[in-house]
Amino acid sequence: MRSFIISSALVGLATAAASPYAQCGGTNWSGDVVCESGYTCTVSNEYYSQCLPGTAASTTLATSTTKAAPSSTPTTGAAGKLKWLGINLSVAEFGTGEYPGVWGTHFYFPDDSAISTLLEQGYNIFRVAFSMERLVADKLTNTVAADYLKNLTATVDYITDNGAYAILDPEIITDVEGFGSFWTTVATAFKSNEKVIFDTNNEYHDMDQDLVLNLNQAAIDAIRGAGATSQYIFAEGNSWSGAHSWNTTNGNLAGLTDSADKLIYEMHQYLDSDNSGTSDVCVSTTIGAERVSGATAWLRENGKIGFLGEFAGGANSQCEAAVTGLLDHLEENSDVWEGALWWAAGPWWADYIYSFEPPSGTGYTYYNTLLKSYAP
């Protein structure tokens, strides 16, 4: 999912050499494997390699926003408008392996002008991906890198000063104690901004299920312990936080506790054959609603609230029908679903199949009219 998707980003091809940020390798890849001068073919995972500056990077993304969970959940669906609809902003986490990295070369920050355009279209929540390793160098218990935090804060403030919510979305870690320390640091920096949402971690995967539970709980406890008691927290699950497998994989996460009672479960869902979001081909016109229906039942049975932190589909009629069905399902079950975020916008996504970067991103030009019709 998101990690896969980031991998699948910027899929542009050149005839002699792959263009900057284009795919250059991966399972069953048959296109160019050499990048243009100044770019290196960098492995993101077994499915995807990408042309990045120098020996650069891959990425990670960000999380979603919020509303307080009700004290009790209805036993039947409740149709209505979603509370939040927005876009993932991905670029500050680019440059994996290059720490602290060079601003403008290995990483960047979202453009205020692009955010402004998206705000004008009616989107009211944005998930800001950032790099743990860049914010706290070497160890999670270290102090923050002041310049990186300053730029991250400026992006968050721009979003929230304009009335929208900003989700802070870091990358994966397995150190429970260090994770708590990291979240104490981050929550302390943002505890006065009530429109900030804390996404515990992007897409846990291939991990012991008890560890996923313990990491989430450590983050929740640290955030509340730092004095951030008015903001929502988004907890993600194992198996890339996939909605399609949530009810069979992440059942123990129903045991998470939050002293502020503002915990929301963030899931991700793509519509291609392997749920990875690396293809613009959707399985069917109905696959969107089908893949989240089990998660919907889990949320209702456990009295929980969910948020779809990543979704996307290719720019074609079959995917458009699937995306429409997905959003219709969320609205029809808005008693347990608070909202959703498209993956993804960002100034370095070039001709990526889902790019929502205005004004010319493939996803933005094809889907903006549809998506904004679901905005609150």
Side-chain angles (χ1 to χ4, degrees):
M1 313 230 246
R2 190 264 293 262
S3 302
F4 279 168
I5 297 176
I6 271 200
S7 331
S8 98
L10 317 164
V11 183
L13 281 86
T15 53
S19 59
Y21 305 103
Q23 184 172 0
C24 56
T27 303
N28 298 322
W29 175 248
S30 59
D32 296 316
V33 296
V34 176
C35 301
E36 289 184 5
S37 177
Y39 291 79
T40 299
C41 190
T42 305
V43 176
S44 295
N45 55 52
E46 63 181 301
Y47 303 99
Y48 195 84
S49 296
Q50 180 182 6
C51 291
L52 297 171
T55 56
S58 98
T59 60
T60 74
L61 198 93
T63 227
S64 47
T65 195
T66 93
K67 165 193 164 190
S71 55
S72 62
T73 305
T75 56
T76 58
K81 295 292 286 184
L82 296 174
K83 196 81 173 180
W84 293 278
L85 188 72
I87 312 297
N88 280 281
L89 304 176
S90 170
V91 68
E93 82 281 21
F94 277 44
T96 299
E98 295 289 341
Y99 305 118
V102 178
W103 181 90
T105 299
H106 301 118
F107 68 96
Y108 202 65
F109 283 87
D111 291 333
D112 287 354
S113 60
I115 298 172
S116 177
T117 297
L118 295 170
L119 287 164
E120 290 169 358
Q121 298 301 306
Y123 301 110
N124 66 347
I125 188 169
F126 299 89
R127 186 168 174 247
V128 184
F130 70 96
S131 167
M132 282 185 179
E133 297 88 344
R134 198 161 280 128
L135 184 63
V136 287
D138 300 324
K139 294 193 307 181
L140 291 179
T141 54
N142 282 352
T143 56
V144 297
D147 288 345
Y148 190 77
L149 178 60
K150 180 179 179 180
N151 285 324
L152 178 62
T153 302
T155 295
V156 168
D157 286 350
Y158 185 84
I159 293 168
T160 61
D161 287 349
N162 281 282
Y165 283 77
I167 301 165
L168 291 169
D169 171 43
E171 182 60 0
I172 200 159
I173 196 67
T174 59
D175 174 9
V176 174
E177 183 178 355
F179 199 50
S181 176
F182 168 82
W183 272 114
T184 296
T185 299
V186 175
T188 299
F190 291 96
K191 65 183 180 181
S192 63
N193 190 335
E194 293 189 354
K195 287 189 175 292
V196 164
I197 296 169
F198 301 108
D199 181 351
T200 61
N201 192 77
N202 180 63
E203 294 186 340
Y204 301 94
H205 61 88
D206 304 304
M207 297 170 67
D208 177 82
Q209 193 61 36
D210 286 338
L211 177 59
V212 175
L213 173 70
N214 292 336
L215 286 168
N216 271 303
Q217 193 63 61
I220 294 166
D221 293 346
I223 291 166
R224 298 310 183 208
T229 58
S230 62
Q231 295 94 338
Y232 292 94
I233 295 175
F234 285 18
E236 296 198 33
N238 213 353
S239 296
W240 310 95
S241 213
H244 66 282
S245 61
W246 188 277
N247 58 332
T248 59
T249 301
N250 291 300
N252 68 331
L253 299 189
L256 290 171
T257 60
D258 174 22
S259 60
D261 196 25
K262 291 188 173 184
L263 181 65
I264 292 176
Y265 290 80
E266 181 186 333
M267 306 178 199
H268 299 170
Q269 191 58 58
Y270 295 95
L271 312 178
D272 49 355
S273 61
D274 61 358
N275 300 286
S276 68
T278 56
S279 170
D280 63 355
V281 178
C282 294
V283 171
S284 70
T285 59
T286 58
I287 194 64
E290 291 167 3
R291 283 191 172 162
V292 300
S293 60
T296 300
W298 184 91
L299 290 166
R300 187 167 291 119
E301 289 166 5
N302 287 280
K304 306 300 183 182
I305 296 297
F307 186 92
L308 198 62
E310 293 182 21
F311 78 96
N316 55 70
S317 59
Q318 179 150 306
C319 286
E320 182 178 0
V323 168
T324 300
L326 171 62
L327 293 172
D328 285 346
H329 178 89
L330 298 185
E331 282 199 337
E332 290 162 4
N333 294 276
S334 60
D335 59 314
V336 294
W337 287 105
E338 292 283 27
L341 290 163
W342 181 272
W343 176 265
W348 285 2
W349 283 97
D351 57 354
Y352 172 48
I353 54 174
Y354 303 146
S355 174
F356 217 82
E357 183 76 357
S360 58
T362 301
Y364 181 79
T365 57
Y366 191 90
Y367 278 103
N368 183 50
T369 299
L370 173 65
L371 260 61
K372 68 182 183 181
S373 70
Y374 289 88

